[in-house]
């Protein structure tokens, strides 16, 4: 996600559609990967350490994550209490 974001920011890629085509993936998947770049550092660490709470997946985190990190953490807490 961060590599793709850097390509967009630098102008190396002109659009998400262009990035998705380069990677041979769907536009919506590329958008979800870019969304992961907005996650709180502790959430990213939990993903990398495979330490997300039971019932919380990367896919769910990548779909319209809240902008505020505290709201992201609250979303995870609510997901695990279901």
């Amino acid at each position: 996600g961060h590599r793709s974001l850097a390509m967009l920011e630098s102008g190396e890629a002109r659009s998400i559609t262009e990035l998705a085509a380069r990677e041979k993936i769907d536009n919506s998947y590329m958008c979800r990967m870019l969304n992961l770049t907005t996650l709180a550092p502790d959430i990213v660490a939990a993903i990398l350490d495979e330490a997300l709470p039971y019932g919380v997946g990367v896919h769910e985190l990548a779909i319209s994550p809240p902008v505020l990190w505290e709201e992201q953490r609250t979303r995870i807490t609510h997901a695990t209490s279901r």
Side-chain angles (χ1 to χ4, degrees):
H2 287 284
R3 182 177 59 86
S4 297
L5 181 60
M7 292 170 71
L8 283 171
E9 291 175 340
S10 72
E12 184 179 337
R14 293 183 303 212
S15 67
I16 292 172
T17 301
E18 182 180 322
L19 278 173
R22 285 185 188 187
E23 299 294 323
K24 297 179 176 64
I25 60 174
D26 184 77
N27 283 354
S28 64
Y29 184 77
M30 177 59 73
C31 288
R32 288 192 303 273
M33 293 305 100
L34 290 170
N35 282 345
L36 292 174
T37 67
T38 67
L39 294 177
D42 57 307
I43 297 173
V44 173
I47 292 168
L48 295 174
D49 293 341
E50 298 181 8
L52 287 173
Y54 179 78
V56 178
V58 173
H59 180 79
E60 291 80 14
L61 293 174
I63 298 172
S64 301
V67 175
L68 299 176
W69 290 349
E70 194 55 44
E71 289 178 13
Q72 294 172 8
R73 294 178 188 109
T74 300
R75 183 189 232 185
I76 289 173
T77 302
H78 286 134
T80 59
S81 64
R82 291 182 202 166

